[in-house]
Amino acid sequence: MKKIVGKNIVTVFVILAVFLIVIPLPTWLLDLLFAVNIALSVYILLTTMYIKESLEFSIFPSLLLITTVFRLGLNISSTRSILMNKGYAGEIVKAFGTFVMGGNAVVGFIVFILITVVQMVVITKGAERVAEVTARFTLDAMPGKQMAIDADLNQGIIDDKEAKRRRDKVQRESDFFGAMDGAAKFVKGDATFSIVAAIVNLLGGAVMGLVFGGMDFSTVLSTYSIATVGDGLCSQIPSLLISISMGMIVTRAASEESLNSDVIGQFTSQPRVPFIAGLVMFVMGFIPGFPTLTLFVLGGALIALGVGLSRSMKTEEQEAEEQGAKEMAENQDAISEMEYYKDIDNVYKLLNVEPIEMEFGYSLIPLADESAGGTFIERVVIFRKQFAIDMGMVFPSIRMRDNQHINPNQYVIKIKGETVAEGEILMDHYLALDSGNVTREVDGIDTIEPAFNIPAKWISEENKLRAEIAGYTLIDPTSVMITHLSEVIKNHAHELLSRQDVKTMLDKLKETNPSIVEDIVPNVVPVAYLQKELCMLLKENVPIRDLQTILETLADNQHNMKDLDITNEYVRQALKRTITRRFSDGGQIRVITLDTETENKIVSSVKKSEQGSYLAMDPQSIQALIASLNAQIEKIKDVVPSPIVLTSPIVRIYFKKLVDQFIPNVTVLSFNEIDNTVQIQAVGNISI
């Protein structure tokens, strides 16, 4: 029974609130419901002050309607009681009217009118305008936010669950502020109705008292003015609290703390402010006619607050400096540098080469410092997981260090000790990319996106909303670096796969399928040979996760193992489902083909030697072939951003080696590497 009541309590409350309009209530019940109304309004106001973002109180638009209906029902019930009971509608109404009026009907009505005007003109109208603007901006920014989520998902920065959660949040924000835009009209209408109810109470009560009650005019005025003001305040005060709650929730920015914590923290962050304000109060105290003592007390309190805050901040700074000095002292080596390197083993340590390194300018250090709230390391961990799933390889740990010799906003990526990429980041800015739907230009600093070398702009925080509305895709500085790093690792994965990594992969496979590892490695396929094969696959962006199939294919073609290129082709054909999934889109694959004459020309130019086969084509034919390929890529670049060339199996390896010398990012596949479930669409043709 309790569960049934708990699940339907809101439904019962709404129905009872509607019935209040037509069912007469005793005065004791009116007192109870007025108290509930006030308590509920205070509860809602406090909730809006303690939430961190608006979506934490997403039921507010519906709650606004429910409380409005409840107040209207109470207002009508109290009006009925006033007219039928000679101006008596319960003790709460009487107490409100008597307290506010203080024996003067004119003062009471003026206070009531002022409260009503403040609610309608100042609070409700302002909150309504904020809700309207926020709803429009939130709706306009939805496409940009969705594109940013898709970009993070495609880069492996987030997984499907996180992407779904972010999309749901964007949709909920749009729905919430759209609902708030309309729900604001409820409070405005409620305030209007309270004025009408007050007029009805006063005029109707006067008629009832003079005509049917036999009262004299002064008694009627005293009785019904108290009831009118008391009833109006019983409705207007909860309505005012709800209006403040509405204004609070539509102006609430996302934060890590509640409103109370933010206000205290930000008001006490500048010690000079209360000190100067206290001096101003002291100066005002010397003006003739001003309350000197009051101003001096207030000024002294503000100055004392400023001094206390200043001392507190100095103490915190001293503690931080002492902690830093203590850590530095602990890290200093007692042995001098010369003494240290007298040990030859310490000199050998200088020869170690890290597989992957990142160096940061001092301005970018907070992005990688977890103690300062940086999320770069966390994002690297997420990318390592996604890369392992996609490519079947776990790349090594990344050595991160600061570098005082580079630009403060610069970072450098090194592979095996040598710089392979670098970029610059502007902190407190967003990288804006043209999504193709930009409606207008937004002021920013022109730059080049470091991962894909496309034009972009650095947009400041104050122009962020304008850029989103204009259609730009905005990327935060950490995402820019992680995207660049991910592309570098993808392009150099074949250099990072060591024999120790291959040994670890074999050990993992041995746990689930020991027979295939024991039979093939190292008797048929040595670890070094397997490493070269895997590196060749990674170099052409082919996943190596299916290690079992790779080993079985190498074992089946052991008679061709002298020519690594030939065995690589057999392995690729065995992985055709993986290759098809990797390069197809929506059940089809768009390719550029080679005409028959060009393929025959390549085959006739292949020469064999003891070390293997190689392509010996004359320079004029090579130049014509590359020119034709460039023309086809330029023609289809808007349709196929990542070009794929489809050739016959015998031609693929030679054509790929030739193209890599001139256009390294072209994918070359053979017919035997594409699964028959995929539709092949030729969008270009290469001919000499």
Side-chain angles (χ1 to χ4, degrees), residues 37-51 57 59-60 63-64 66-68 71 238 241-246 248-249:
N37 188 26
I38 295 172
L40 182 61
S41 303
V42 173
Y43 194 100
I44 293 172
L45 175 61
L46 294 177
T47 301
T48 59
M49 295 179 67
Y50 280 95
I51 60 175
F57 203 24
I59 63 168
F60 189 82
L63 202 59
L64 203 60
I66 293 172
T67 54
T68 301
R71 284 196 305 275
L241 296 177
I242 294 295
S243 297
I244 296 173
S245 302
M246 182 179 67
M248 198 80 69
I249 202 168

mmCIF file of all heavy atoms in Angstrom, residues 37-51 57 59-60 63-64 66-68 71 238 241-246 248-249:
data_model
loop_
_atom_site.group_PDB
_atom_site.id
_atom_site.type_symbol
_atom_site.label_atom_id
_atom_site.label_comp_id
_atom_site.label_asym_id
_atom_site.label_seq_id
_atom_site.Cartn_x
_atom_site.Cartn_y
_atom_site.Cartn_z
ATOM 1 N N ASN A 37 1.677 25.393 1.322
ATOM 2 C CA ASN A 37 2.052 26.189 0.152
ATOM 3 C C ASN A 37 3.321 26.995 0.417
ATOM 4 O O ASN A 37 4.238 27.046 -0.409
ATOM 5 C CB ASN A 37 0.895 27.115 -0.214
ATOM 6 C CG ASN A 37 1.135 27.839 -1.530
ATOM 7 O OD1 ASN A 37 1.866 27.365 -2.386
ATOM 8 N ND2 ASN A 37 0.509 28.977 -1.681
ATOM 9 N N ILE A 38 3.389 27.634 1.580
ATOM 10 C CA ILE A 38 4.576 28.429 1.921
ATOM 11 C C ILE A 38 5.797 27.526 2.084
ATOM 12 O O ILE A 38 6.894 27.827 1.579
ATOM 13 C CB ILE A 38 4.316 29.235 3.208
ATOM 14 C CG1 ILE A 38 3.208 30.260 2.978
ATOM 15 C CG2 ILE A 38 5.596 29.925 3.679
ATOM 16 C CD1 ILE A 38 2.756 30.979 4.239
ATOM 17 N N ALA A 39 5.632 26.388 2.796
ATOM 18 C CA ALA A 39 6.755 25.465 2.997
ATOM 19 C C ALA A 39 7.263 24.918 1.670
ATOM 20 O O ALA A 39 8.478 24.800 1.448
ATOM 21 C CB ALA A 39 6.324 24.315 3.916
ATOM 22 N N LEU A 40 6.346 24.572 0.765
ATOM 23 C CA LEU A 40 6.737 24.043 -0.542
ATOM 24 C C LEU A 40 7.513 25.083 -1.345
ATOM 25 O O LEU A 40 8.514 24.762 -2.008
ATOM 26 C CB LEU A 40 5.489 23.598 -1.308
ATOM 27 C CG LEU A 40 5.708 22.971 -2.689
ATOM 28 C CD1 LEU A 40 6.556 21.711 -2.579
ATOM 29 C CD2 LEU A 40 4.370 22.659 -3.353
ATOM 30 N N SER A 41 7.092 26.344 -1.291
ATOM 31 C CA SER A 41 7.796 27.409 -2.023
ATOM 32 C C SER A 41 9.205 27.612 -1.477
ATOM 33 O O SER A 41 10.163 27.778 -2.249
ATOM 34 C CB SER A 41 6.997 28.711 -1.926
ATOM 35 O OG SER A 41 5.688 28.541 -2.414
ATOM 36 N N VAL A 42 9.334 27.609 -0.142
ATOM 37 C CA VAL A 42 10.666 27.748 0.460
ATOM 38 C C VAL A 42 11.545 26.566 0.077
ATOM 39 O O VAL A 42 12.741 26.723 -0.231
ATOM 40 C CB VAL A 42 10.540 27.860 1.996
ATOM 41 C CG1 VAL A 42 11.920 27.834 2.650
ATOM 42 C CG2 VAL A 42 9.804 29.128 2.382
ATOM 43 N N TYR A 43 10.975 25.374 0.082
ATOM 44 C CA TYR A 43 11.724 24.157 -0.285
ATOM 45 C C TYR A 43 12.255 24.254 -1.720
ATOM 46 O O TYR A 43 13.421 23.935 -2.001
ATOM 47 C CB TYR A 43 10.796 22.951 -0.140
ATOM 48 C CG TYR A 43 11.501 21.615 -0.159
ATOM 49 C CD1 TYR A 43 11.770 20.944 1.013
ATOM 50 C CD2 TYR A 43 11.894 21.034 -1.363
ATOM 51 C CE1 TYR A 43 12.428 19.713 1.003
ATOM 52 C CE2 TYR A 43 12.542 19.815 -1.385
ATOM 53 C CZ TYR A 43 12.802 19.156 -0.203
ATOM 54 O OH TYR A 43 13.449 17.956 -0.218
ATOM 55 N N ILE A 44 11.410 24.719 -2.631
ATOM 56 C CA ILE A 44 11.825 24.838 -4.043
ATOM 57 C C ILE A 44 12.916 25.889 -4.189
ATOM 58 O O ILE A 44 13.910 25.695 -4.914
ATOM 59 C CB ILE A 44 10.606 25.184 -4.916
ATOM 60 C CG1 ILE A 44 9.622 24.004 -4.951
ATOM 61 C CG2 ILE A 44 11.039 25.544 -6.343
ATOM 62 C CD1 ILE A 44 8.321 24.319 -5.632
ATOM 63 N N LEU A 45 12.777 27.035 -3.487
ATOM 64 C CA LEU A 45 13.792 28.091 -3.573
ATOM 65 C C LEU A 45 15.146 27.592 -3.070
ATOM 66 O O LEU A 45 16.181 27.817 -3.713
ATOM 67 C CB LEU A 45 13.337 29.298 -2.752
ATOM 68 C CG LEU A 45 14.349 30.453 -2.643
ATOM 69 C CD1 LEU A 45 14.661 31.019 -4.018
ATOM 70 C CD2 LEU A 45 13.822 31.539 -1.718
ATOM 71 N N LEU A 46 15.176 26.894 -1.949
ATOM 72 C CA LEU A 46 16.438 26.386 -1.411
ATOM 73 C C LEU A 46 17.053 25.349 -2.334
ATOM 74 O O LEU A 46 18.280 25.286 -2.484
ATOM 75 C CB LEU A 46 16.200 25.785 -0.018
ATOM 76 C CG LEU A 46 15.788 26.775 1.082
ATOM 77 C CD1 LEU A 46 15.507 26.036 2.375
ATOM 78 C CD2 LEU A 46 16.865 27.821 1.285
ATOM 79 N N THR A 47 16.217 24.543 -2.974
ATOM 80 C CA THR A 47 16.742 23.542 -3.910
ATOM 81 C C THR A 47 17.454 24.204 -5.072
ATOM 82 O O THR A 47 18.535 23.776 -5.484
ATOM 83 C CB THR A 47 15.597 22.652 -4.429
ATOM 84 O OG1 THR A 47 14.964 22.006 -3.328
ATOM 85 C CG2 THR A 47 16.132 21.588 -5.391
ATOM 86 N N THR A 48 16.869 25.272 -5.620
ATOM 87 C CA THR A 48 17.512 25.963 -6.751
ATOM 88 C C THR A 48 18.828 26.619 -6.344
ATOM 89 O O THR A 48 19.692 26.852 -7.192
ATOM 90 C CB THR A 48 16.573 27.035 -7.324
ATOM 91 O OG1 THR A 48 16.251 27.983 -6.304
ATOM 92 C CG2 THR A 48 15.297 26.407 -7.842
ATOM 93 N N MET A 49 18.994 26.915 -5.056
ATOM 94 C CA MET A 49 20.239 27.545 -4.608
ATOM 95 C C MET A 49 21.357 26.535 -4.372
ATOM 96 O O MET A 49 22.534 26.893 -4.397
ATOM 97 C CB MET A 49 19.988 28.330 -3.316
ATOM 98 C CG MET A 49 19.053 29.517 -3.493
ATOM 99 S SD MET A 49 18.750 30.401 -1.952
ATOM 100 C CE MET A 49 20.371 31.078 -1.642
ATOM 101 N N TYR A 50 21.011 25.275 -4.163
ATOM 102 C CA TYR A 50 22.030 24.282 -3.837
ATOM 103 C C TYR A 50 22.394 23.380 -5.012
ATOM 104 O O TYR A 50 23.319 22.592 -4.910
ATOM 105 C CB TYR A 50 21.573 23.423 -2.655
ATOM 106 C CG TYR A 50 21.773 24.103 -1.324
ATOM 107 C CD1 TYR A 50 20.744 24.813 -0.723
ATOM 108 C CD2 TYR A 50 23.002 24.071 -0.679
ATOM 109 C CE1 TYR A 50 20.922 25.457 0.495
ATOM 110 C CE2 TYR A 50 23.199 24.708 0.531
ATOM 111 C CZ TYR A 50 22.155 25.396 1.116
ATOM 112 O OH TYR A 50 22.350 26.030 2.303
ATOM 113 N N ILE A 51 21.672 23.442 -6.131
ATOM 114 C CA ILE A 51 22.047 22.626 -7.291
ATOM 115 C C ILE A 51 23.254 23.248 -7.986
ATOM 116 O O ILE A 51 23.525 24.445 -7.857
ATOM 117 C CB ILE A 51 20.870 22.490 -8.282
ATOM 118 C CG1 ILE A 51 20.432 23.867 -8.801
ATOM 119 C CG2 ILE A 51 19.713 21.742 -7.646
ATOM 120 C CD1 ILE A 51 19.358 23.794 -9.866
ATOM 121 N N PHE A 57 17.614 19.908 -11.565
ATOM 122 C CA PHE A 57 16.232 20.155 -11.142
ATOM 123 C C PHE A 57 15.351 20.244 -12.391
ATOM 124 O O PHE A 57 14.602 21.202 -12.586
ATOM 125 C CB PHE A 57 16.187 21.447 -10.335
ATOM 126 C CG PHE A 57 15.009 21.553 -9.405
ATOM 127 C CD1 PHE A 57 14.354 20.419 -8.944
ATOM 128 C CD2 PHE A 57 14.541 22.777 -8.977
ATOM 129 C CE1 PHE A 57 13.283 20.512 -8.092
ATOM 130 C CE2 PHE A 57 13.460 22.887 -8.118
ATOM 131 C CZ PHE A 57 12.828 21.744 -7.673
ATOM 132 N N ILE A 59 12.675 18.824 -13.280
ATOM 133 C CA ILE A 59 11.221 18.791 -13.133
ATOM 134 C C ILE A 59 10.651 20.178 -12.856
ATOM 135 O O ILE A 59 9.436 20.316 -12.686
ATOM 136 C CB ILE A 59 10.814 17.837 -11.991
ATOM 137 C CG1 ILE A 59 11.359 18.346 -10.647
ATOM 138 C CG2 ILE A 59 11.288 16.423 -12.270
ATOM 139 C CD1 ILE A 59 10.780 17.645 -9.455
ATOM 140 N N PHE A 60 11.485 21.206 -12.805
ATOM 141 C CA PHE A 60 11.025 22.532 -12.394
ATOM 142 C C PHE A 60 9.895 23.077 -13.268
ATOM 143 O O PHE A 60 8.924 23.641 -12.728
ATOM 144 C CB PHE A 60 12.200 23.517 -12.375
ATOM 145 C CG PHE A 60 11.851 24.841 -11.770
ATOM 146 C CD1 PHE A 60 11.854 25.029 -10.395
ATOM 147 C CD2 PHE A 60 11.500 25.912 -12.573
ATOM 148 C CE1 PHE A 60 11.519 26.246 -9.835
ATOM 149 C CE2 PHE A 60 11.175 27.135 -12.030
ATOM 150 C CZ PHE A 60 11.180 27.307 -10.658
ATOM 151 N N LEU A 63 6.840 21.385 -12.176
ATOM 152 C CA LEU A 63 6.569 21.786 -10.800
ATOM 153 C C LEU A 63 5.998 23.196 -10.749
ATOM 154 O O LEU A 63 5.157 23.520 -9.893
ATOM 155 C CB LEU A 63 7.870 21.712 -9.996
ATOM 156 C CG LEU A 63 7.759 21.574 -8.474
ATOM 157 C CD1 LEU A 63 6.985 20.327 -8.109
ATOM 158 C CD2 LEU A 63 9.137 21.528 -7.856
ATOM 159 N N LEU A 64 6.427 24.044 -11.670
ATOM 160 C CA LEU A 64 5.914 25.406 -11.753
ATOM 161 C C LEU A 64 4.416 25.402 -12.035
ATOM 162 O O LEU A 64 3.637 26.142 -11.421
ATOM 163 C CB LEU A 64 6.665 26.162 -12.850
ATOM 164 C CG LEU A 64 6.703 27.683 -12.790
ATOM 165 C CD1 LEU A 64 7.353 28.159 -11.516
ATOM 166 C CD2 LEU A 64 7.444 28.221 -13.991
ATOM 167 N N ILE A 66 2.317 22.847 -11.451
ATOM 168 C CA ILE A 66 1.604 22.213 -10.333
ATOM 169 C C ILE A 66 1.405 23.199 -9.183
ATOM 170 O O ILE A 66 0.305 23.327 -8.633
ATOM 171 C CB ILE A 66 2.375 20.970 -9.858
ATOM 172 C CG1 ILE A 66 2.364 19.882 -10.945
ATOM 173 C CG2 ILE A 66 1.769 20.411 -8.577
ATOM 174 C CD1 ILE A 66 3.254 18.703 -10.645
ATOM 175 N N THR A 67 2.472 23.915 -8.805
ATOM 176 C CA THR A 67 2.350 24.870 -7.700
ATOM 177 C C THR A 67 1.431 26.037 -8.060
ATOM 178 O O THR A 67 0.730 26.562 -7.190
ATOM 179 C CB THR A 67 3.736 25.409 -7.312
ATOM 180 O OG1 THR A 67 4.383 25.955 -8.481
ATOM 181 C CG2 THR A 67 4.608 24.299 -6.751
ATOM 182 N N THR A 68 1.430 26.434 -9.337
ATOM 183 C CA THR A 68 0.530 27.511 -9.759
ATOM 184 C C THR A 68 -0.927 27.087 -9.621
ATOM 185 O O THR A 68 -1.771 27.837 -9.119
ATOM 186 C CB THR A 68 0.836 27.914 -11.209
ATOM 187 O OG1 THR A 68 2.189 28.351 -11.309
ATOM 188 C CG2 THR A 68 -0.077 29.044 -11.658
ATOM 189 N N ARG A 71 -1.842 27.074 -5.928
ATOM 190 C CA ARG A 71 -2.085 28.414 -5.395
ATOM 191 C C ARG A 71 -3.405 28.985 -5.883
ATOM 192 O O ARG A 71 -4.145 29.627 -5.129
ATOM 193 C CB ARG A 71 -0.938 29.359 -5.782
ATOM 194 C CG ARG A 71 0.331 29.181 -4.988
ATOM 195 C CD ARG A 71 1.257 30.377 -5.148
ATOM 196 N NE ARG A 71 1.544 30.656 -6.539
ATOM 197 C CZ ARG A 71 2.502 30.055 -7.239
ATOM 198 N NH1 ARG A 71 3.247 29.132 -6.664
ATOM 199 N NH2 ARG A 71 2.709 30.362 -8.495
ATOM 200 N N PRO A 238 4.297 33.071 -1.488
ATOM 201 C CA PRO A 238 4.780 31.835 -2.143
ATOM 202 C C PRO A 238 5.037 32.029 -3.628
ATOM 203 O O PRO A 238 6.000 31.478 -4.181
ATOM 204 C CB PRO A 238 3.640 30.840 -1.900
ATOM 205 C CG PRO A 238 2.925 31.349 -0.703
ATOM 206 C CD PRO A 238 3.009 32.837 -0.793
ATOM 207 N N LEU A 241 8.363 33.681 -4.025
ATOM 208 C CA LEU A 241 9.450 32.715 -3.824
ATOM 209 C C LEU A 241 9.645 31.842 -5.046
ATOM 210 O O LEU A 241 10.782 31.544 -5.449
ATOM 211 C CB LEU A 241 9.152 31.853 -2.590
ATOM 212 C CG LEU A 241 9.099 32.580 -1.241
ATOM 213 C CD1 LEU A 241 8.732 31.604 -0.130
ATOM 214 C CD2 LEU A 241 10.423 33.242 -0.934
ATOM 215 N N ILE A 242 8.549 31.419 -5.672
ATOM 216 C CA ILE A 242 8.639 30.597 -6.886
ATOM 217 C C ILE A 242 9.245 31.410 -8.028
ATOM 218 O O ILE A 242 10.046 30.906 -8.823
ATOM 219 C CB ILE A 242 7.257 30.058 -7.277
ATOM 220 C CG1 ILE A 242 6.745 29.082 -6.207
ATOM 221 C CG2 ILE A 242 7.310 29.358 -8.633
ATOM 222 C CD1 ILE A 242 7.562 27.821 -6.082
ATOM 223 N N SER A 243 8.873 32.707 -8.135
ATOM 224 C CA SER A 243 9.453 33.568 -9.179
ATOM 225 C C SER A 243 10.961 33.705 -8.990
ATOM 226 O O SER A 243 11.735 33.651 -9.955
ATOM 227 C CB SER A 243 8.792 34.950 -9.142
ATOM 228 O OG SER A 243 7.423 34.863 -9.420
ATOM 229 N N ILE A 244 11.384 33.898 -7.737
ATOM 230 C CA ILE A 244 12.829 33.977 -7.463
ATOM 231 C C ILE A 244 13.506 32.661 -7.827
ATOM 232 O O ILE A 244 14.604 32.644 -8.400
ATOM 233 C CB ILE A 244 13.061 34.325 -5.981
ATOM 234 C CG1 ILE A 244 12.499 35.708 -5.657
ATOM 235 C CG2 ILE A 244 14.551 34.280 -5.645
ATOM 236 C CD1 ILE A 244 12.530 36.060 -4.189
ATOM 237 N N SER A 245 12.853 31.544 -7.523
ATOM 238 C CA SER A 245 13.407 30.228 -7.868
ATOM 239 C C SER A 245 13.563 30.092 -9.372
ATOM 240 O O SER A 245 14.579 29.579 -9.862
ATOM 241 C CB SER A 245 12.495 29.115 -7.342
ATOM 242 O OG SER A 245 12.321 29.208 -5.960
ATOM 243 N N MET A 246 12.555 30.570 -10.121
ATOM 244 C CA MET A 246 12.632 30.500 -11.582
ATOM 245 C C MET A 246 13.789 31.339 -12.105
ATOM 246 O O MET A 246 14.564 30.903 -12.967
ATOM 247 C CB MET A 246 11.319 30.972 -12.198
ATOM 248 C CG MET A 246 11.286 30.891 -13.716
ATOM 249 S SD MET A 246 9.716 31.431 -14.407
ATOM 250 C CE MET A 246 9.769 33.173 -13.998
ATOM 251 N N MET A 248 16.436 32.131 -10.456
ATOM 252 C CA MET A 248 17.673 31.502 -9.994
ATOM 253 C C MET A 248 18.100 30.368 -10.925
ATOM 254 O O MET A 248 19.265 30.224 -11.278
ATOM 255 C CB MET A 248 17.477 30.968 -8.577
ATOM 256 C CG MET A 248 18.759 30.675 -7.828
ATOM 257 S SD MET A 248 19.502 32.164 -7.156
ATOM 258 C CE MET A 248 18.317 32.573 -5.879
ATOM 259 N N ILE A 249 17.132 29.561 -11.355
ATOM 260 C CA ILE A 249 17.482 28.359 -12.124
ATOM 261 C C ILE A 249 17.827 28.686 -13.571
ATOM 262 O O ILE A 249 18.660 28.018 -14.178
ATOM 263 C CB ILE A 249 16.340 27.328 -12.048
ATOM 264 C CG1 ILE A 249 16.876 25.924 -12.363
ATOM 265 C CG2 ILE A 249 15.197 27.668 -12.995
ATOM 266 C CD1 ILE A 249 15.901 24.817 -12.030
#
